[in-house]
Amino acid sequence: MVTEPNLGVEILYVEGMRDNKALVNAGRFLPTLKMSPFNNLLTKNQHHTILSSGFNIVSDIVKKGVERADAVGKFDSVFMYEGEVNWSGKSCYRVVIYDPTWALTTYRALKGEKMYDVALKFLIPEYSIAELNGVKSFEEDLTGRVLKIPTTYARKTVFYIDKETHFPIFQEMSDNKGVFERYEISNLIINPAFKLDEFSENFAEYKF
């Protein structure tokens, strides 16, 4: 973590290792802990778990948007290039996605499903599930609950795509109430080289 209030906290997660738990170094003379990615301490005031970070989810949102736009024959009115902008010193393309299929629907959760499971199944934000249904915890068992959910991730999505790297470095998502998520990416390194032990708590640059 590079900003307050959790400046200096280290979180190491590797799928399939440590019983699928994250290793957390909270610093301040506290011991290193193993926590589920859904633990309330790791998800407090968060829209997502650490499992949903990265560009893969952005790619999936765009792909699904293309499919829906093509299905209704409205690609040109759904995906719009709105010129160039300068953001954080970078020259970017501004691309806006308006989703005409966005709506609210209902879903009955299957046995053992939690927010992450439902969000992954329908490619929708965990935040929306929590906001629409009063779900307080990522660890809450939703078995049998009839949930109000959006049909797609966002009603409107704004991307600033770096002209040099072609990666989105600014994203803003809106629903029927307005903006609910905004991401700003700086110091992006494409295809970094990792050292062999960089995903181990024994890596020399960590403080586990």
Side-chain angles (χ1 to χ4, degrees):
M1 300 296 184
V2 296
T3 60
E4 294 291 357
N6 298 310
L7 180 65
V9 172
E10 296 178 322
I11 302 174
L12 179 63
Y13 176 81
V14 182
E15 185 176 5
M17 293 182 63
R18 305 178 189 90
D19 298 321
N20 278 323
K21 292 185 177 179
L23 200 62
V24 182
N25 170 25
R28 301 179 179 88
F29 306 105
L30 296 174
T32 296
L33 303 172
K34 287 184 180 179
M35 294 183 180
S36 162
F38 308 102
N39 186 282
N40 289 336
L41 290 176
L42 286 183
T43 57
K44 183 179 181 182
N45 298 324
Q46 300 297 316
H47 277 202
H48 302 281
T49 70
I50 58 175
L51 305 181
S52 299
S53 61
F55 285 110
N56 283 345
I57 190 171
V58 177
S59 174
D60 289 341
I61 290 170
V62 172
K63 287 177 182 177
K64 293 294 183 182
V66 170
E67 291 174 6
R68 290 191 298 274
D70 283 342
V72 296
K74 294 184 177 180
F75 182 88
D76 290 338
S77 60
V78 172
F79 285 80
M80 287 184 282
Y81 168 62
E82 296 191 343
E84 298 182 12
V85 296
N86 187 288
W87 185 81
S88 193
K90 300 281 188 178
S91 182
C92 303
Y93 303 110
R94 176 184 166 95
V95 176
V96 179
I97 304 174
Y98 294 96
D99 189 342
T101 69
W102 189 97
L104 294 178
T105 187
T106 57
Y107 169 72
R108 185 183 294 275
L110 301 179
K111 183 177 180 180
E113 284 189 324
K114 300 177 182 179
M115 273 201 296
Y116 177 75
D117 303 306
V118 177
L120 191 64
K121 178 181 289 187
F122 296 104
L123 192 61
I124 57 177
E126 292 101 317
Y127 161 80
S128 295
I129 300 171
E131 180 78 5
L132 292 168
N133 300 281
V135 180
K136 302 298 184 183
S137 168
F138 280 80
E139 295 187 297
E140 187 173 333
D141 188 336
L142 303 176
T143 299
R145 282 191 59 175
V146 176
L147 304 170
K148 184 182 290 186
I149 62 172
T151 53
T152 58
Y153 198 94
R155 192 173 194 173
K156 176 184 176 182
T157 303
V158 178
F159 291 121
Y160 293 172
I161 300 175
D162 188 337
K163 292 176 64 177
E164 182 178 349
T165 66
H166 297 132
F167 274 82
I169 57 174
F170 175 92
Q171 306 159 42
E172 185 177 82
M173 285 79 164
S174 304
D175 57 15
N176 57 325
K177 295 182 179 179
V179 175
F180 66 87
E181 286 183 351
R182 181 182 291 118
Y183 301 95
E184 301 176 1
I185 300 169
S186 58
N187 302 319
L188 178 64
I189 301 174
I190 308 298
N191 296 325
F194 293 104
K195 298 177 182 177
L196 290 177
D197 60 345
E198 196 155 344
F199 292 96
S200 164
E201 61 266 37
N202 298 319
F203 183 55
E205 295 181 31
Y206 297 153
K207 298 178 182 178
F208 290 107

